[in-house]
Amino acid sequence: MSILMGVDIGGTFTDLIGFDEQTGQLLHAKRPTTYFDLVQGIVDCTAASGLDMGEVSQIVHGSTIAINTVIEETGARTALITTRGTRDIYRIGRGNRPDAYDFFFHRPRPLVPRHLTFEVTGRMLANGDEWTPIDEGEIEALCETLSEQKVEAVAVCFLHSYANPAHEERVGKIIRLRLPDCYVSLSHEILRAYREYERTSTTVLNAYVGPKVSRYINELSSRMSGIGFAGHFSIMQSNGGVMAPEMAAKRPVNMMESGPVGGIIASAEIGRSLGYTNVIAFDMGGTTAKASLIRAGEVMMSEMYYIGGYASGYPVMIPVVDVVEVGTGGGSIAWIDEVGTLRVGPQSAGADPAPICYGKGGCEPTFTDAFVVLGRVGAQDFLGGDLKLDELSAIQGIQHKLADVLHIGVYQAAQAVIQIAINNMSLAVRQVSVEKGYDPREFALVASGGAGPLSALAVARELHIPTVIIPRFPAHFSAIGMLLTDEKHDFVRTYYGALEDVDFEQLVKVHDDMLEEVRAVVRSESMTTTTIVYQTCLDVRYVGQEFTLSVPVSDEQLRQARIQEIHDAFDNIHQQRFGHQAPHEPVEMVNIRLTAIGVRNKPKFQLERNEDCLPHVSYRKVFFEDAEKPIDCPVYERDSLPPNYVLAGPALVQEYASTTVLYQGDTCTVSQTGELVISVGGGQDA
């Protein structure tokens, strides 16, 4: 067996990429996402790709099932068990109000109603000492109540269980014994860090999606085996690594952002290979557009994010690749609000009913319809000709729903839809760069997703980004990125105190306990690599600050208590992140983190193409800046472009599942490995 396979389920399409390690051949397929049965979309892709599943040695899979379960509120009937006196922590949340002038602001609606939140006797202190023991009789009686309430999942989050999880362990054992069909999520098994509300929210989310994700993973494994797969199966995590299916079923909260993360990892790899260490990953699919920053070759990480946005979303306190997402994708619906303003998204036509031009029953004009109307997406060439688009219906839809209402021409309306969507996407790129102190002019933009190359040059113009890179197979890029990831596990323990007063001998013991825990997980996961790298970090902050910065420390610094070196490293990181430091101010540490990375051999994607071959080029009418007058635009077939070939805009570069739009002044060079490296012109508006 020598074929590696990556599968990504998106909001509109399911993508598959297969790499033959012996021949270097890449196989690919793209099929509509089957919402009624997500596994069926994967089966459809395997059939379309022609892969012999008996030859597949490894599958890496990313899916939006976990996060969609939260957003759509289709998770399990969940109960929450807390320490007596803390029943309302989850409901109260935080007292901050991000936008004081938003009259429509609302706090996140708890996924567990108050009548399914139960307090029990038993309390641990912050130092891990037991103050009040658990009443096991009370827990057994509570199990009867949970059964009567037809609870499907239980989240257990006790006060200070990060310091001593003994009570949670005992309660979890009783519930699993008395309610064997109930999904149980214990907070200390997810993370061992302070912040009661965020820890509770993360545990509840894990329980809420657990039953559905577990069933999905089991069904996927079973059906893949049924079509001949007998290799190693891995699930993509939000932290940029992969995990075994058993771990995914236990900690499904770790796969909330597993889909888009693959493309970000691949963007970092592509950037490094072409000599760009500062990269902005831009992924535009059918439902959303996502942006993430890669600086000095390293993907930016966050220790917490919010499902549904910071203002009113659900906090998830786990390491995650820092991604900003906006509701603008190829299927985003263009509509006119109550005051007559044209808007695009966040509603999406998705895979069903899909954009009007797909001919599947959609009747609302979308971003894709606008590109078809303007000729930038070929109606006869979409998906390599596998899907013929209905250009006339797209024109009629935009005419009736938008142009007639706004009293403008149909091509002007299509152009307006695209410009509004570009503005929305530019905000996402701005959030990961300008708003965090980084100048986008110092970065290259790596564009992926089926609609990414359509929009990338326009977004780059908005933010004066000088270089855009279109990778090979951009519409399958997240699936490709899944083949470039390592196996990864993150662990955290709260250990609070002034850095100068920390008992490093005790801290080393905590570190070594974590190391044993990590090694136990590595052994149980049967990681497919023998090269394991361990990275230790301390979460440090100046006294008086609320949030921390993660400071990498070596084993020697930890065991030899090199306090000043750690302090200096924190000052430098603070300077890089915020533009200032206070080296004479006291600092304190909050958490110790340990990450295990199983380094895998990455596939080497080679481009076999004759440099003397002639590009295949055709022409069609395309509207650019002038919405009244189309031009005869050259349309290049990407597969026919040899390395080092140079072309200038305006032009289209067309491939199986995507099209790159070059404007006047843009210059595109084909790299030796097949990427399109585009120098962005600044003379014309997109």
Side-chain angles (χ1 to χ4, degrees):
M1 298 189 295
S2 62
I3 296 177
L4 308 178
M5 189 172 105
V7 183
D8 173 38
I9 297 180
T12 304
F13 286 102
T14 295
D15 302 326
L16 179 148
I17 202 82
F19 176 72
D20 191 320
E21 293 182 290
Q22 293 182 349
T23 66
Q25 181 184 10
L26 276 170
L27 303 171
H28 60 87
K30 179 183 280 284
R31 287 294 180 268
T33 294
T34 48
Y35 289 107
F36 60 90
D37 180 4
L38 292 175
V39 179
Q40 186 59 48
I42 299 176
V43 174
D44 293 344
C45 278
T46 59
S49 69
L51 281 172
D52 179 354
M53 294 303 293
E55 294 297 316
V56 176
S57 61
Q58 187 172 154
I59 294 176
V60 183
H61 174 46
S63 173
T64 56
I65 183 172
I67 194 166
N68 285 349
T69 298
V70 178
I71 293 172
E72 297 166 4
E73 298 187 5
T74 57
R77 182 173 171 81
T78 305
L80 171 63
I81 302 177
T82 66
T83 302
R84 191 170 303 284
T86 64
R87 182 183 185 187
D88 291 315
I89 282 179
Y90 179 54
R91 176 168 292 273
I92 293 171
R94 293 290 176 186
N96 59 319
R97 182 172 178 138
D99 189 349
Y101 300 101
D102 182 2
F103 293 116
F104 301 101
F105 168 78
H106 62 88
R107 299 190 182 281
R109 187 162 67 92
L111 297 173
V112 178
R114 194 171 189 273
H115 74 273
L116 290 181
T117 303
F118 303 95
E119 298 177 321
V120 298
T121 303
R123 181 185 285 262
M124 291 291 183
L125 299 180
N127 63 2
D129 292 341
E130 183 182 68
W131 180 259
T132 307
I134 282 287
D135 184 340
E136 295 192 5
E138 182 182 14
I139 303 303
E140 291 178 355
L142 179 56
C143 288
E144 296 294 329
T145 302
L146 296 175
S147 178
E148 293 170 0
Q149 291 287 338
K150 294 181 171 50
V151 167
E152 301 169 277
V154 177
V156 182
C157 190
F158 290 156
L159 198 65
H160 304 311
S161 59
Y162 59 84
N164 185 344
H167 285 178
E168 283 191 358
E169 290 172 345
R170 184 58 190 148
V171 169
K173 185 175 181 179
I174 294 172
I175 296 174
R176 286 165 175 157
L177 180 64
R178 299 292 297 272
L179 302 173
D181 295 329
C182 191
Y183 186 95
V184 180
S185 180
L186 308 178
S187 74
H188 76 275
E189 294 178 344
I190 312 302
L191 75 159
R192 291 183 62 173
Y194 88 133
R195 294 186 185 278
E196 295 305 316
Y197 168 59
E198 288 79 6
R199 186 162 59 91
T200 302
S201 174
T202 305
T203 308
V204 166
L205 285 164
N206 195 78
Y208 185 73
V209 304
K212 189 172 184 177
V213 172
S214 298
R215 288 192 297 269
Y216 168 75
I217 291 173
N218 291 336
E219 182 184 1
L220 178 58
S221 299
S222 174
R223 290 175 67 175
M224 288 296 101
S225 298
I227 59 176
F229 174 65
H232 186 81
F233 183 42
S234 300
I235 303 293
M236 193 74 197
Q237 298 187 75
S238 304
N239 67 359
V242 297
M243 58 183 169
E246 297 79 14
M247 182 61 72
K250 185 177 181 180
R251 299 179 182 174
V253 73
N254 286 356
M255 59 181 288
M256 286 290 181
E257 296 287 349
S258 68
V261 165
I264 297 166
I265 300 301
S267 295
E269 292 287 340
I270 292 296
R272 279 193 291 266
S273 69
L274 296 175
Y276 297 91
T277 56
N278 288 346
V279 165
I280 296 173
F282 173 71
D283 177 358
M284 184 181 181
T287 307
T288 60
K290 296 160 281 286
S292 185
L293 191 108
I294 298 147
R295 185 174 182 274
E298 295 295 324
V299 176
M300 302 296 282
M301 301 291 294
S302 174
E303 303 305 334
M304 181 160 33
Y305 72 108
Y306 295 80
I307 298 175
Y310 172 64
S312 56
Y314 303 103
V316 184
M317 197 164 62
I318 58 171
V320 60
V321 172
D322 193 8
V323 180
V324 171
E325 188 169 348
V326 294
T328 305
S332 292
I333 294 171
W335 54 287
I336 297 174
D337 65 17
E338 61 275 7
V339 296
T341 302
L342 177 62
R343 298 183 180 273
V344 180
Q347 304 92 336
S348 175
D352 186 14
I356 296 173
C357 60
Y358 281 31
K360 296 175 63 177
C363 59
E364 299 296 334
T366 67
F367 183 81
T368 298
D369 292 312
F371 268 102
V372 171
V373 168
L374 295 176
R376 302 184 197 181
V377 170
Q380 303 303 310
D381 306 313
F382 194 69
L383 292 185
D386 290 346
L387 177 61
K388 305 295 184 182
L389 300 180
D390 187 346
E391 182 179 3
L392 179 59
S393 292
I395 291 174
Q396 292 173 342
I398 290 181
Q399 179 75 57
H400 175 65
K401 296 278 187 174
L402 304 178
D404 289 348
V405 179
L406 296 172
H407 306 292
I408 59 176
V410 65
Y411 299 109
Q412 289 177 314
Q415 184 78 286
V417 169
I418 291 172
Q419 189 57 54
I420 290 170
I422 295 300
N423 291 340
N424 292 342
M425 290 180 280
S426 298
L427 291 176
V429 177
R430 189 183 298 274
Q431 279 184 263
V432 300
S433 56
V434 176
E435 292 187 13
K436 295 190 176 180
Y438 299 106
D439 187 343
R441 294 173 295 184
E442 299 175 357
F443 290 76
L445 187 73
V446 177
S448 62
L454 283 168
S455 312
L457 274 300
V459 171
R461 270 178 159 74
E462 288 279 334
L463 299 174
H464 305 286
I465 297 172
T467 304
V468 172
I469 299 169
I470 310 296
R472 295 172 65 196
F473 302 103
H476 299 78
F477 201 53
S478 285
I480 289 176
M482 292 171 191
L483 303 182
L484 299 173
T485 56
D486 294 316
E487 302 184 42
K488 186 176 181 182
H489 295 287
D490 296 295
F491 294 83
V492 60
R493 298 273 186 93
T494 290
Y495 192 94
Y496 174 77
L499 185 62
E500 289 76 9
D501 298 332
V502 166
D503 183 346
F504 272 80
E505 183 176 340
Q506 181 62 33
L507 184 61
V508 168
K509 290 181 180 179
V510 173
H511 172 270
D512 291 345
D513 286 344
M514 295 173 68
L515 194 59
E516 286 302 313
E517 185 179 0
V518 171
R519 287 171 175 164
V521 170
V522 169
R523 288 192 297 268
S524 66
E525 284 238 307
S526 300
M527 296 176 86
T528 57
T529 175
T530 56
T531 305
I532 310 294
V533 176
Y534 298 98
Q535 175 63 63
T536 304
C537 294
L538 303 181
D539 288 350
V540 182
R541 65 190 180 190
Y542 290 120
V543 173
Q545 289 183 323
E546 172 69 8
F547 293 99
T548 61
L549 292 175
S550 192
V551 180
V553 294
S554 66
D555 197 60
E556 291 76 14
Q557 287 176 320
L558 196 65
R559 297 184 185 279
Q560 296 176 17
R562 299 180 184 175
I563 295 174
Q564 190 57 50
E565 291 182 11
I566 297 171
H567 194 305
D568 292 343
F570 168 71
D571 288 335
N572 291 334
I573 293 173
H574 200 280
Q575 177 72 41
Q576 292 173 0
R577 179 65 184 275
F578 300 112
H580 65 93
Q581 58 177 291
H584 302 297
E585 291 293 323
V587 300
E588 56 190 12
M589 72 163 288
V590 177
N591 301 311
I592 178 171
R593 298 182 182 273
L594 183 62
T595 300
I597 302 174
V599 182
R600 302 193 303 173
N601 292 327
K602 311 296 191 302
K604 303 295 183 182
F605 304 121
Q606 301 297 326
L607 179 67
E608 296 182 5
R609 197 172 293 167
N610 185 353
E611 296 193 21
D612 297 325
C613 68
L614 294 176
H616 182 273
V617 59
S618 59
Y619 290 84
R620 70 167 175 255
K621 298 291 185 182
V622 178
F623 290 88
F624 280 90
E625 290 82 16
D626 189 346
E628 300 296 334
K629 185 178 180 182
I631 67 169
D632 285 322
C633 181
V635 181
Y636 295 85
E637 293 297 331
R638 183 170 181 177
D639 289 344
S640 71
L641 299 179
N644 301 317
Y645 187 80
V646 179
L647 60 100
L652 304 178
V653 181
Q654 191 168 269
E655 55 190 297
Y656 170 71
S658 189
T659 300
T660 301
V661 178
L662 280 73
Y663 300 95
Q664 183 71 39
D666 297 336
T667 303
C668 172
T669 303
V670 183
S671 75
Q672 285 293 326
T673 48
E675 293 82 17
L676 305 181
V677 182
I678 304 167
S679 177
V680 182
Q684 300 289 333
D685 292 331

